């Protein structure tokens, strides 16, 4: 699937030669991208944006039945097979541990498969317009969350939450948005506007004070520097600027760099990262990442997600 040249510089929603349904579908995707950070209900439950996207996927399913073609993408078969497999496993666990959360998570698997097919179909059929819609929605969504953090109170006493229910959700969203932007531009080259968007996403990440989020975003940006998304001249400039900042902070010979390092968001982020190891979930083991090695059968039969009594 080819990526259009300079999609970040072409975010206007000017008419494209498509039918009515593609326009409606793209509008639904745009609306979802902008509203997805707004959490109205309790975490773990569907939010308003999820119903918007589910409506789009349902409409796509009906249109797909009407315009059915014998050839279906193999990736869709794999996705459907995985969703059905996960559903069967959860239902099997439900027979032994009747937890309603098993039913909810089973439906989430089916929902995610449907959304994957819906979005992937749009990207493959209308790549140029789809990327323009995604870039436009990223610009608007980042702007809204940035303004929310600056001018509206947070749900957390000292960490930003944006329109989410907790800071970790904001951090995960900022990481996803930055990843989407890099993937969109991976075969192209990042431009000035793209760097600005990545900078805003990183700032939001810092405001969330998520240790995992900050570390993974730094790794993502480091990968980006050495990827095809950055041309050689920009890569040399970024490496040079980063080296200067590190040296300047070590020897404190630049007032500007010192002021940046002493800014509130930087100081709080450094203190947050420096506290790694003080909490129970600061290690891979504490976060449960080693459970799969201790219970290799989970790779085949799962762990009964949602069934707390089964763990």
């Amino acid at each position: 699937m080819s990526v259009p040249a300079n999609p970040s510089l072409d975010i206007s929603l000017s008419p494209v030669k498509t039918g009515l349904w593609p326009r409606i579908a793209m509008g639904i995707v745009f609306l979802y991208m902008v509203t997805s950070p707004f959490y109205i209900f309790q975490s773990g439950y569907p939010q308003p944006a999820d119903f918007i996207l589910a409506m789009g996927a349902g409409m796509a399913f009906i249109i797909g039945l009407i315009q059915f073609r014998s050839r279906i993408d193999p990736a869709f078969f794999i996705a459907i097979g995985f969703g059905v497999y996960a559903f069967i496993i959860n239902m099997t666990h439900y027979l032994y541990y009747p937890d309603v959360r098993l039913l909810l998570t089973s439906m989430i698997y089916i929902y995610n498969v449907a959304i994957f097919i819906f979005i992937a179909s749009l990207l493959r059929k209308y790549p140029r317009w789809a990327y323009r819609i995604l870039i436009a929605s990223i610009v608007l969504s980042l702007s809204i969350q940035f303004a929310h953090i600056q001018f509206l109170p947070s749900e957390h006493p000292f960490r930003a939450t944006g329109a989410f229910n907790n800071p970790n959700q904001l951090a995960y969203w900022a990481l996803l948005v930055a990843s989407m932007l890099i993937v969109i531009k991976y075969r192209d080259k990042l431009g000035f506007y793209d760097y600005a968007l990545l900078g805003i996403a990183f700032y939001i990440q810092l405001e969330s004070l998520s240790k995992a989020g900050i570390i993974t975003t730094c790794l993502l940006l480091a990968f980006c520097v050495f990827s095809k998304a950055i041309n050689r001249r920009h890569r040399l400039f970024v490496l040079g600027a980063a080296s200067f900042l590190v040296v300047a902070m070590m020897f404190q010979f630049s007032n500007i760099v010192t002021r940046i390092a002493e800014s509130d968001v930087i100081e709080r982020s450094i203190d947050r990262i420096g506290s790694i190891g003080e909490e129970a979930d600061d290690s891979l083991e504490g976060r449960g990442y080693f459970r799969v090695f201790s219970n290799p059968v989970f790779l085949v039969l799962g762990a009964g997600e949602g069934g707390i009594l089964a763990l």
Side-chain angles (χ1 to χ4, degrees):
M1 178 175 61
S2 60
V3 177
N6 294 324
S8 64
L9 302 180
D10 184 14
I11 61 174
S12 63
L13 305 184
S14 56
V16 177
K17 293 182 179 180
T18 55
L20 178 61
W21 162 241
R23 293 171 182 269
I24 295 175
M26 294 297 179
I28 289 174
V29 172
F30 179 84
L31 189 59
Y32 169 79
M33 288 288 295
V34 175
T35 59
S36 60
F38 291 90
Y39 272 42
I40 306 299
F41 308 115
Q42 181 181 349
S43 298
Y45 288 89
Q47 303 299 325
D50 296 315
F51 293 104
I52 294 174
L53 203 56
M55 179 182 65
M59 294 172 63
F61 178 75
I62 295 174
I63 293 175
L65 290 179
I66 297 175
Q67 302 176 348
F68 178 75
R69 296 180 180 179
S70 59
R71 185 179 180 277
I72 300 178
D73 195 306
F76 296 167
F77 276 117
I78 295 175
I80 293 172
F82 174 77
V84 172
Y85 183 56
F87 182 84
I88 292 174
I89 288 176
N90 271 8
M91 291 300 95
T92 302
H93 281 276
Y94 181 77
L95 295 177
Y96 295 94
Y97 304 96
D99 188 331
V100 67
R101 283 169 292 187
L102 282 167
L103 300 177
L104 294 176
T105 53
S106 298
M107 296 307 299
I108 290 175
Y109 276 113
I110 302 302
Y111 168 81
N112 287 336
V113 170
I115 298 307
F116 166 75
I117 295 176
F118 173 50
I119 300 297
S121 298
L122 292 178
L123 289 173
R124 294 191 174 187
K125 291 182 179 179
Y126 317 101
R128 177 171 169 267
W129 200 18
Y131 283 116
R132 287 164 57 185
I133 290 293
L134 289 176
I135 291 293
S137 63
I138 287 174
V139 171
L140 182 57
S141 189
L142 279 174
S143 300
I144 293 174
Q145 293 308 306
F146 179 82
H148 193 291
I149 291 173
Q150 296 300 312
F151 303 112
L152 295 178
S154 172
E155 297 290 336
H156 195 276
F158 62 91
R159 297 171 61 187
T161 59
F164 291 93
N165 288 339
N166 67 64
N168 291 331
Q169 293 169 343
L170 176 65
Y172 182 54
W173 174 83
L175 178 63
L176 287 178
V177 169
S179 301
M180 286 178 59
L181 183 61
I182 293 174
V183 168
I184 290 173
K185 298 302 296 288
Y186 186 73
R187 295 183 183 178
D188 195 13
K189 304 298 179 185
L190 291 170
F192 171 78
Y193 299 105
D194 303 311
Y195 292 125
L197 292 175
L198 288 174
I200 294 174
F202 186 58
Y203 172 80
I204 292 175
Q205 189 68 258
L206 294 179
E207 286 285 1
S208 74
L209 291 179
S210 167
K211 288 175 281 191
I214 293 174
I215 292 174
T216 51
T217 301
C218 288
L219 292 175
L220 174 68
L221 295 178
F223 162 80
C224 179
V225 171
F226 295 99
S227 72
K228 297 179 181 179
I230 294 185
N231 62 42
R232 183 179 180 183
R233 184 176 59 182
H234 289 181
R235 183 179 297 114
L236 292 176
F237 174 80
V238 171
L239 292 176
S243 301
F244 172 78
L245 288 174
V246 171
V247 173
M249 292 177 65
M250 291 177 60
F251 297 97
Q252 299 183 350
F253 63 76
S254 172
N255 291 332
I256 296 178
V257 174
T258 300
R259 290 180 181 178
I260 294 175
E262 292 178 351
S263 64
D264 181 59
V265 64
I266 298 296
E267 283 191 340
R268 288 188 291 116
S269 299
I270 293 176
D271 292 340
R272 181 72 171 164
I273 295 299
S275 68
I276 292 178
E278 297 178 2
E279 299 180 7
D281 65 346
D282 281 347
S283 64
L284 296 178
E285 183 177 5
R287 290 176 178 260
Y289 292 153
F290 292 153
R291 288 176 59 238
V292 68
F293 300 107
S294 303
N295 305 272
V297 70
F298 286 174
L299 290 172
V300 179
L301 301 180
E305 182 181 353
I308 304 301
L309 296 177
L311 305 182

